[in-house]
Amino acid sequence: MKQQSKFRPKYLYTGIFLIAILCTLTWKSEAHHLSHLFFCNSLTSYVDTIPPTGKLPGNIQRKVMESDTIPANDTTPARQRIDTFSIKLSKDSLDAPVNYEASDSVIVLMKNKKIYLFGKTKTEYRTIVLTAPKVELDQQTQMVMATNQKDSTGAEIEAAHFKDGENEFSFDTIWYNFKSQKGITRNTVTQQGELFVHGQVIKKENDSIIYVRKGMFTTCNLDDPHFAFMTNKLKVVNKKLAVSGPAHPEFEGVPIPIYIPFGFYPLSQGRHSGFLPPQFTTNDSYGLGLEGLGYYKVINDYWDARLYGNIYSYGGWSANLNPTYRKRYRYNGSFNLSMQSTKSNFKGDPDYFKTNTFNISWSHSVDSKARPGTSFSANVNAGSTKFNQLVPNDPQRNFQNQLGSSISYSKTWKDKPFNLTLSANHSQNNFTHLINVSLPNAGFTVNTIYPFQKKEVVGAPRWYEKLGVAYNGTLRNQVSFYDTAFSFKQLLDTLQWGAQHNFPISLSLPPILGGAIIVSPSVSYSQIWIAQKFRRNWNNVTKKLDTSVTKGLFMDHSTSFGLSLSSALYGTYQFRNSRITKMRHVIRPSLSFSYKPDLSKNNFYTTQVDTSGYKMRFSQYQGSLYGYYSEGKYGGMTFQLDNNLEMKVKTKKDTANGGEKKVTLVDGYGFSTSYNFFADSMKLAPVQFYFRTNLFNKINISATTTLDPYQVNSRGQDIGKYAWQGAKKFALGRLTSGSISMSSSFSSKPKDPKKDEERKKQVQQRLNDPTLIADQQRLLDYMQQNPSEFVDFNIPWQLSFSYSLYFSEQFKPDYSGFTKKVSSNVSFNGSFSLTPKWNFSTSGYYDFSTHKIQTFQMSISRDMHCWQMSINVTPVGLYRFFSFTISPKASVLQDLRINRSRYFSGL
């Protein structure tokens, strides 16, 4: 043991000397690195843990004697020993290495224990990253000082940046202590959410708290912001809140003499309870008003609610209760109960009226993975028929006359072909005031089963093994009433119920003629349960039709047998010396034969309909929930011919398919008709024509029409003569109904594609976040009312339009003939940037039947960097309004807006 101790100091001191040299010389000319440099002095103090001679310091001496249990004169072979005494660290030691690099030079002063970095430097310690043109490290005080670089005019050449976890600063100078993790910066800018905090002096207290003296905060990201709130004292808790002393706003460096004694600014993401500020409006019918005043309450992690309303000087008011709920990966939904007390004009005014209306909405959806096999959904929108008409500042809702609701539950049995559906439905027409409520409704379906199919398929299946049988049945209950003449007795009189059963039988046969023709036989049986008979009788005294209703349980039946043949024919034409290389025409003919016996002949009757003695046939089940089956025996064929056109063109962009690109010219066009061999007259059914295409993937066009091939009598009703029989001029028939619709949208490429992708990604993330479902709906409603506040200046121009035309023949109320009704309209929406900062947008709806513009809106928007100005005008139509708004873009200041609105109504 003594011999070993004699030689140990020699090698020990040599090792210490080498370590000191390495710690001094560990740097490179271009990038200098230091790891654990601050530990060099400490290492020289405790590398030799067992000194050979002399006494150790007090506590270490005692631990060595207690732990060394081998006597000095022990002659047993040497064995490994473990020193268990603790080591006292140097006071200037850190608990993690400090890494640094510099592009220019590094100066290490061993005596002063300081390091100077010059050039583009980077210093890292745990989660701290410091970049600056000049850095000074002091080992004794464990301080770091960094500064930026400026030119002779004071302009910044190279910035200094500090990052610690989620805290980031840009500054002129920083003093930071690695040990206490506290620091002070001068002329600093840091971002907290959407807020940018500027401060002459900022003190970093810990990972999340900073104090600011003589600071300002803004949502403008410029070094000299367009606007800011000035304060002498400010405390910021990262991503939670900011608290300030007295503050006042400044615009373009000009102070505004509006002071607040203190400020409280939430910075955390998510939901926060608080008051909802109103906006001042002027309404020609309702008077002066405050809109949107209310309170938002976060109840718990799953529920929140918003209570808000409007109040007007003429005495009108409205109140809205909007709770929302969500449970991630389970369900989400929202309610909305709205009540309006509308007073238009003053008492004594000829246009004065007072009315109370309400509206209820509920939406609910369930995650499909929550309970596989079952689903529940709700989409309710019901209320007074005048509610939409009286909502201010929402022209689209003012013209919404159709409301509907649906609540449904469905269950599918695993590994079984059964499906059950329960639902409740509602529909109302605000123009006619008719409301239909249908509940409860039920449906049960048995998917196609193959009773003759073997459990274990061996070889080719027999033809009868492909015989399939299915079932689907529905049950409905419905009441109808007018909200202007509602009574419980009349409600019971309109009660109807009904059911329908269908039993389809199918058989899949192998194709014939080498697979060119597909053969499909079928058999079906249907039955309707009806709750009442409806019969008309001519009254010779009153000279009009009287109706009688007989309630009970009645049934109507129908069965049919069919055989269908279908095929496809292809024709290709090749071009030479043309950009178009090929054109292909696909023809898909189908022919079906069917037979239906007359099971409903006893359900039809003939009655007189006018004073001339003219008679017509009606079904006594007319008006039932499921309709009725036609009379007469049918045995005939149905023919349909479908076509589409495609071509291939040469392209340099797509080289994967031989440099050719497929272009669809016409998605589909054709006709269908049927011929009844058993009918005594008018055997040929009206011919249905259709056409649909999407030209250049931009213009959608679809058209349908019905050609009646028969001549008509003086009442406009068909007679048993074809249109070309005995006619002076040849004609195939007359068009009894038809429709044409066309729509398209065009837009320029975005100025910044990356910015456009980021915007789409952010929108998609918000739509997929169930915690924001209530905010999404409120934002969508606000966007519809104020589209100019959400202009995308990244798109220079965009245009969309749609056109529709519809005509049909309808019975006159006295059954004396037909009248033809035609309706057509066009709607458009577009915007374009007058300059990079000015945008003009417009939208409208023109009705060709009335030759009037029903709605027209136009707006002008100005991008003011961190603010946005918008002017909205609706100069024509039943509802007109004007609004002027200036507001910040940042959502944290969305309620800090200047708004001026006026509404005018032509009611």
Side-chain angles (χ1 to χ4, degrees), residues 375 478 540 783 818:
S375 67
Q478 180 176 298
N540 291 318
M783 289 175 66
F818 291 88

Side-chain angles (χ1 to χ4, degrees), residues 645-659:
L645 287 176
E646 298 174 342
M647 70 176 182
K648 285 189 175 182
V649 296
K650 295 179 181 179
T651 177
K652 296 181 180 180
K653 297 181 179 180
D654 187 5
T655 59
N657 299 315

Side-chain angles (χ1 to χ4, degrees), residues 551-562:
K551 295 191 174 183
L553 175 60
F554 310 97
M555 297 184 184
D556 198 3
H557 308 267
S558 176
T559 186
S560 64
F561 307 87

Side-chain angles (χ1 to χ4, degrees), residues 851-865:
H851 303 287
K852 291 182 179 180
I853 298 177
Q854 299 296 337
T855 61
F856 180 75
Q857 299 181 39
M858 58 182 179
S859 61
I860 299 177
S861 302
R862 163 69 176 175
D863 184 359
M864 304 169 65
H865 188 258

Side-chain angles (χ1 to χ4, degrees), residues 467-528:
L467 181 67
V469 181
Y471 166 79
N472 61 79
T474 58
L475 172 68
R476 289 176 58 192
N477 298 272
Q478 180 176 298
V479 293
S480 302
F481 60 92
Y482 292 91
D483 68 340
T484 54
F486 175 79
S487 68
F488 187 74
K489 182 179 182 301
Q490 293 177 349
L491 186 68
L492 294 179
D493 291 339
T494 63
L495 175 63
Q496 289 192 74
W497 67 271
Q500 185 177 41
H501 309 275
N502 295 305
F503 297 89
I505 301 174
S506 60
L507 178 63
S508 298
L509 296 179
I512 60 177
L513 299 178
I517 299 178
I518 299 175
V519 182
S520 301
S522 63
V523 178
S524 66
Y525 172 77
S526 300
Q527 184 184 79
I528 299 176

Side-chain angles (χ1 to χ4, degrees), residues 645-888:
L645 287 176
E646 298 174 342
M647 70 176 182
K648 285 189 175 182
V649 296
K650 295 179 181 179
T651 177
K652 296 181 180 180
K653 297 181 179 180
D654 187 5
T655 59
N657 299 315
E660 293 182 341
K661 178 183 178 181
K662 185 173 70 173
V663 178
T664 302
L665 298 177
V666 181
D667 293 325
Y669 67 96
F671 68 92
S672 64
T673 185
S674 62
Y675 191 88
N676 187 2
F677 295 102
F678 292 161
D680 55 357
S681 62
M682 295 186 290
K683 297 183 178 182
L684 181 65
V687 184
Q688 310 285 338
F689 293 91
Y690 62 90
F691 176 88
R692 63 183 184 277
T693 185
N694 185 9
L695 290 177
F696 315 110
N697 292 325
K698 282 292 184 181
I699 304 176
N700 291 291
I701 302 175
S702 62
T704 61
T705 188
T706 300
L707 178 68
D708 191 336
Y710 298 103
Q711 297 181 16
V712 296
N713 57 18
S714 59
R715 294 174 175 268
Q717 297 173 330
D718 290 347
I719 58 176
K721 280 187 177 182
Y722 288 113
W724 54 84
Q725 290 181 338
K728 296 181 180 180
K729 188 176 180 180
F730 178 80
L732 291 175
R734 74 184 195 282
L735 300 178
T736 58
S737 65
S739 66
I740 298 175
S741 63
M742 181 172 58
S743 64
S744 183
S745 62
F746 304 91
S747 64
S748 62
K749 294 182 179 179
K751 297 178 182 177
D752 188 348
K754 292 183 179 180
K755 185 178 179 180
D756 187 63
E757 290 296 327
E758 290 177 0
R759 184 187 64 84
K760 291 179 180 179
K761 188 180 296 185
Q762 291 177 357
V763 172
Q764 191 63 34
Q765 289 175 351
R766 291 181 180 181
L767 293 176
N768 294 335
D769 191 349
T771 62
L772 301 176
I773 181 173
D775 297 332
Q776 294 168 12
Q777 188 58 47
R778 287 194 289 268
L779 181 61
L780 290 175
D781 294 341
Y782 187 81
M783 289 175 66
Q784 290 179 353
Q785 300 176 26
N786 305 274
S788 60
E789 295 185 29
F790 300 89
V791 174
D792 187 2
F793 285 91
N794 195 35
I795 306 294
W797 64 269
Q798 56 184 354
L799 173 67
S800 62
F801 70 93
S802 63
Y803 171 80
S804 65
L805 176 122
Y806 175 78
F807 68 93
S808 65
E809 289 184 345
Q810 297 181 359
F811 258 121
K812 293 181 180 179
D814 57 357
Y815 299 101
S816 61
F818 291 88
T819 60
K820 184 168 288 187
K821 290 189 175 182
V822 180
S823 64
S824 62
N825 59 78
V826 62
S827 61
F828 55 90
N829 188 322
S831 67
F832 65 93
S833 296
L834 300 172
T835 68
K837 299 295 183 180
W838 284 96
N839 182 276
F840 177 80
S841 61
T842 181
S843 63
Y845 175 89
Y846 181 83
D847 190 344
F848 290 96
S849 302
T850 58
H851 303 287
K852 291 182 179 180
I853 298 177
Q854 299 296 337
T855 61
F856 180 75
Q857 299 181 39
M858 58 182 179
S859 61
I860 299 177
S861 302
R862 163 69 176 175
D863 184 359
M864 304 169 65
H865 188 258
C866 48
W867 285 63
Q868 182 164 298
M869 180 190 72
S870 62
I871 302 174
N872 298 323
V873 181
T874 300
V876 299
L878 189 62
Y879 304 94
R880 305 177 304 278
F881 74 94
F882 165 85
S883 68
F884 173 83
T885 305
I886 298 179
S887 60

Side-chain angles (χ1 to χ4, degrees), residues 7 13 34 122 126 144 151-152 195 225 236 240 318 360 378 382 414 451 534 556 693 704 751 784 812 879:
F7 291 98
Y13 299 146
L34 175 65
K122 182 177 181 182
R126 300 180 65 179
V144 60
D151 59 15
S152 58
L195 286 179
V236 179
K240 287 188 178 180
S318 67
I360 299 175
K414 186 178 180 180
F534 185 81
D556 198 3
T693 185
T704 61
K751 297 178 182 177
Q784 290 179 353
K812 293 181 180 179
Y879 304 94

Side-chain angles (χ1 to χ4, degrees), residues 95 111 203 278 353 364 498 505 624 661 725 845 867:
D95 58 353
K111 183 177 180 180
K203 179 182 177 181
F353 74 91
H364 179 90
I505 301 174
S624 65
K661 178 183 178 181
Q725 290 181 338
Y845 175 89
W867 285 63

